[in-house]
Amino acid sequence: MTAVREMVDPVPGAAAPHLPAQPDLVQLLTPEGERVEHPEYSLDVTDEELRSLYRDLALVRRWDVEATALQRQGELGIWASLQGQEAAQIGAGRALGEADMAFPTYREHGVAWTRGVDPLDVISLFRGNDLGGWDPVATRFNLYTVVIGAQCLHATGYAMGIQRDTADAAAIAFLGDGATSQGEVNEAFIWAATFDAPVVFFCQNNQYAISVPIERQSKVPLFQRAAGFGFPGVRVDGNDVLAVLAVTRAALARAREGSGPTFIEAFTYRMGAHTTSDDPTRYRLADELEEWKLRDPIARLKAHLSRSGKADAEFFAGVDAEGDELAARIRKGTLEMPDPAGTEMFDHVYAEQTEEIAAQRAAFLAYQEGFEK
């Protein structure tokens, strides 16, 4: 019987033939689960904090798997999976302070989790029941933004407001690698740099802008673009929750102290489809996916916890059971979710009702009454 040796590249993507060389990557936890040090970024975490991070990662993935299944069964209109990007989102989300404000795209379910957003309030958006069921002020987590890159301008404007209020807070904008080609994103960089706005631009480079690979999007690593705008950029192993936590904490602290914006490139991989309407087998090879599975963010933290004796089988079984309970609650809540009244589309267009919207609402009601018997 031939022995099989599992080879894991210590720097994600460094030896991948479809990717350029990947320099300057911050890593604190190798794919094998070994803790390493970095000269610029250190992180002191307790055993309990490590177990809590693992719980976050595992439960968010369980939510994601259940939501994907619900969409495949016709219960959701669409779903944008975060599988593979859990460490990037949980690490960044747990780095946020209570007063900090997050501006997501449409995939930041992990960040939503860290801000206390109920998964069903996200599910209702993808089911078409509302435009987002959570309170952005209470959660400090803005509503999802589908217009690519627009949230970077929102975050920059919010950060400039923080400056004028002299508040001890920062804003963070989440974006993907494809969004860096958008005009709104580059405009946000210019404004943020010019005004030293307390904002962090957190880019999850998951290697594809839908179907366009990163090497066709940029001739240089994305984090190096920040220098052209006049603020620092850093690349972090996006599958290492500890490194992401350390780097994001440092960038947010820098923003709060008045030193301006930072661009973080979380080098990660989208394990699933862009959305449930996408077929990734048409533009990437199965070998590539298998290569990245060896760098799975949950598996590496589990390996560290197990080998270091910081978590046992009972702990992992408990998390799995909690995940099953969460999935059951999500499924039950989704299937029992009431359809919204048609008039709700008129209720929150403006802070106060206008005559024009009121007239449209009345016309809609009159039209609907024509079908009633």
Side-chain angles (χ1 to χ4, degrees):
M1 183 175 180
T2 304
V4 177
R5 184 183 178 191
E6 190 175 84
M7 300 297 293
V8 181
D9 177 10
V11 179
H18 68 289
L19 295 173
Q22 306 300 330
D24 304 323
L25 186 144
V26 178
Q27 187 178 80
L28 298 179
L29 189 65
T30 71
E32 299 89 344
E34 179 186 354
R35 273 299 304 265
V36 293
E37 298 299 323
H38 190 276
E40 296 179 39
Y41 297 96
S42 61
L43 183 69
D44 293 323
V45 289
T46 66
D47 293 353
E48 182 58 35
E49 288 171 333
L50 286 171
R51 289 190 291 268
S52 181
L53 287 170
Y54 177 85
R55 174 181 175 272
D56 285 337
L57 296 172
L59 294 184
V60 165
R61 177 169 291 185
R62 190 65 181 87
W63 166 15
D64 184 74
V65 169
E66 191 64 27
T68 300
L70 284 164
Q71 194 284 328
R72 295 305 189 199
Q73 294 161 10
E75 299 298 338
L76 302 183
I78 196 171
W79 181 251
S81 174
L82 58 56
Q83 187 175 2
Q85 299 176 219
E86 295 92 347
Q89 296 192 16
I90 295 299
R94 290 303 182 197
L96 290 164
E98 185 178 346
D100 297 333
M101 186 70 184
F103 291 82
T105 64
Y106 45 80
R107 200 187 302 275
E108 271 67 57
H109 320 314
V111 185
W113 174 267
T114 67
R115 302 307 271 176
V117 175
D118 191 312
L120 286 171
D121 285 339
V122 177
I123 291 286
S124 64
L125 168 63
F126 288 89
R127 190 170 168 84
N129 283 45
D130 53 47
L131 299 178
W134 63 93
D135 181 350
V137 176
T139 59
R140 315 298 294 165
F141 183 75
N142 201 40
L143 296 176
Y144 276 11
T145 302
V146 179
V147 178
I148 305 300
Q151 73 279 0
C152 292
L153 286 172
H154 303 161
T156 299
Y158 189 94
M160 291 169 66
I162 290 174
Q163 279 182 317
R164 283 145 185 79
D165 291 341
T166 63
D168 184 19
I172 185 168
F174 292 89
L175 64 151
D177 46 289
T180 60
S181 298
Q182 292 289 102
E184 293 97 325
V185 173
N186 289 272
E187 290 165 7
F189 290 170
I190 292 169
W191 279 86
T194 301
F195 288 91
D196 283 326
V199 60
V200 174
F201 299 104
F202 191 93
C203 175
Q204 294 171 80
N205 177 2
N206 64 17
Q207 310 306 317
Y208 288 92
I210 306 182
S211 60
V212 181
I214 185 63
E215 65 266 27
R216 291 185 59 188
Q217 301 178 54
S218 180
K219 293 294 185 182
V220 299
L222 295 179
F223 79 101
Q224 292 182 1
R225 290 184 176 184
F229 293 93
F231 54 86
V234 57
R235 169 177 274 166
V236 61
D237 181 349
N239 286 18
D240 175 358
V241 68
L242 302 185
V244 174
L245 179 60
V247 168
T248 311
R249 273 183 180 171
L252 288 166
R254 181 178 181 276
R256 294 188 207 102
E257 70 184 16
S259 297
T262 301
F263 180 89
I264 298 173
E265 178 189 357
F267 196 79
T268 183
Y269 190 76
R270 193 192 75 218
M271 301 290 284
H274 174 70
T275 69
T276 46
S277 64
D278 170 45
D279 178 9
T281 64
R282 300 186 65 181
Y283 53 82
R284 68 186 191 190
L285 299 175
D287 288 351
E288 179 184 312
L289 178 61
E290 293 303 313
E291 174 190 336
W292 277 90
K293 283 181 179 179
L294 298 176
R295 304 172 185 133
D296 184 271
I298 301 178
R300 77 168 66 183
L301 184 54
K302 184 175 183 178
H304 174 70
L305 289 169
S306 298
R307 293 170 185 171
S308 63
K310 295 173 182 176
D312 56 18
E314 183 179 359
F315 166 77
F316 294 118
V319 173
D320 289 344
E322 189 178 359
D324 290 341
E325 292 173 3
L326 173 64
R329 183 174 78 83
I330 289 172
R331 174 166 291 275
K332 184 175 185 292
T334 301
L335 298 180
E336 295 177 353
M337 200 172 286
D339 291 333
T343 53
E344 283 191 13
M345 75 176 96
F346 302 103
D347 293 343
H348 306 292
V349 179
Y350 298 106
E352 297 179 1
Q353 187 74 286
T354 66
E355 290 184 7
E356 182 179 8
I357 296 297
Q360 291 177 8
R361 187 179 189 278
F364 175 80
L365 282 172
Y367 175 75
Q368 291 292 99
E369 289 171 0
F371 295 95
E372 295 179 0
K373 295 182 180 179

